[in-house]
Amino acid sequence: ETRAPGPRTRWLAERLLALGAHRPAGIERLRPGQRLTLALQELGPSFIKLGQALSVRADLIGAEIAGDLSSLQDDLPPFPAEAARQTIEAEFGKPLDELFSEFDDKPVAAASIAQVHFAVTTDGDEVAVKILRPGIEQAFARDIELLRWLAETAERRAPRLRRLRPVDVIETLAAAVAEEMDLRLEAAAGTELRNNFGNDPSFRIPAMDWTRTGRRVLTVERISGVPIDEIETIAAAGHEPEILVGAMARAFFLQVFRDGFFHADLHPGNLLVGEDGVVQAVDFGIMGRLDR
């Protein structure tokens, strides 16, 4: 185009130029999936979300690339622990040590929107504390604006793409992301899912700590386990993968067909197998609901 580029175009051009100007040493030796992973990390949180979605679609992109993209699920560069502590204190208006007797500065998981730290409450409960990344709301707003513009441009310039409804796709993404930015909604979703399954012996949902949960901080019962895609580790622990598949299928069918309320972000980073062989779900930021 001959007209001067707008702010969205300039931003995308700057990011792409930055990718080319700051190529990590030895990147030529990396696999295509590893290079794609680095590029998506550099482009920002919305593009990381795209990579997360692709990471569970080996049928579309191949097992090798999907495996490389799986690191985007919960193994991103963390933000500083001091920022996490400041977020907690700002959210609740009190010193961190009035909420937690212990707080591990090293995060156990870091994803596109938030990261998780282990802690012990002043009541002596072992918990996991999820904290939104600093500035994540502004970063996503910028990304969504760009993606919305790209989708509108695609529909206008390439009519054959309209059947894919790119604008509607971006609006759906924007709505889901807006809900993820308020961790109180995630706590409510986790509570509802936990209530639906009660004492179900094959599917476990951790309890929410509402006294230490706010818009930017979520505190939840700490659980441990092996990601459900680590088949060899699970088998070595004495668990039958076929039984776990059956338990997970049963749990999901009950969510959809019995409750009309289901976990809609079931990548392997969100499904853990406990020592007792029970499938455990975490991260309730994206949920689905079906009416009768």
Side-chain angles (χ1 to χ4, degrees), residues 206-240:
M208 309 295 136
D209 182 344
W210 280 97
T211 64
R212 296 172 178 84
T213 290
R215 188 178 65 85
R216 307 194 83 248
V217 178
L218 166 66
T219 302
V220 61
E221 173 191 3
R222 189 192 308 181
I223 61 174
S224 61
V226 179
I228 201 166
D229 63 341
E230 295 186 11
I231 306 299
E232 293 182 359
T233 303
I234 290 171
H239 307 306
E240 291 291 338

Side-chain angles (χ1 to χ4, degrees), residues 189 192 259-262 287-291:
E192 182 173 351
D259 306 324
F261 183 68
F262 59 93
M287 305 294 289
R289 199 178 289 277
L290 293 169
D291 61 23

Side-chain angles (χ1 to χ4, degrees), residues 244-268:
L244 294 175
V245 170
M248 189 59 244
R250 172 183 173 275
F252 188 68
F253 292 156
L254 287 174
Q255 291 173 59
V256 173
F257 297 115
R258 181 191 67 187
D259 306 324
F261 183 68
F262 59 93
H263 197 306
D265 194 19
L266 288 176
H267 61 71

Side-chain angles (χ1 to χ4, degrees), residues 116-157:
V116 178
H117 294 255
F118 281 164
V120 178
T121 70
T122 51
D123 300 322
D125 298 322
E126 294 185 342
V127 294
V129 185
K130 182 175 182 178
I131 305 150
L132 290 185
R133 286 182 175 271
I136 191 64
E137 296 93 341
Q138 294 80 4
F140 256 110
R142 178 203 64 198
D143 286 359
I144 292 296
E145 182 186 7
L146 171 65
L147 291 171
R148 185 179 286 118
W149 173 74
L150 289 172
E152 292 170 351
T153 301
E155 286 198 1
R156 186 170 63 253
R157 299 291 182 86

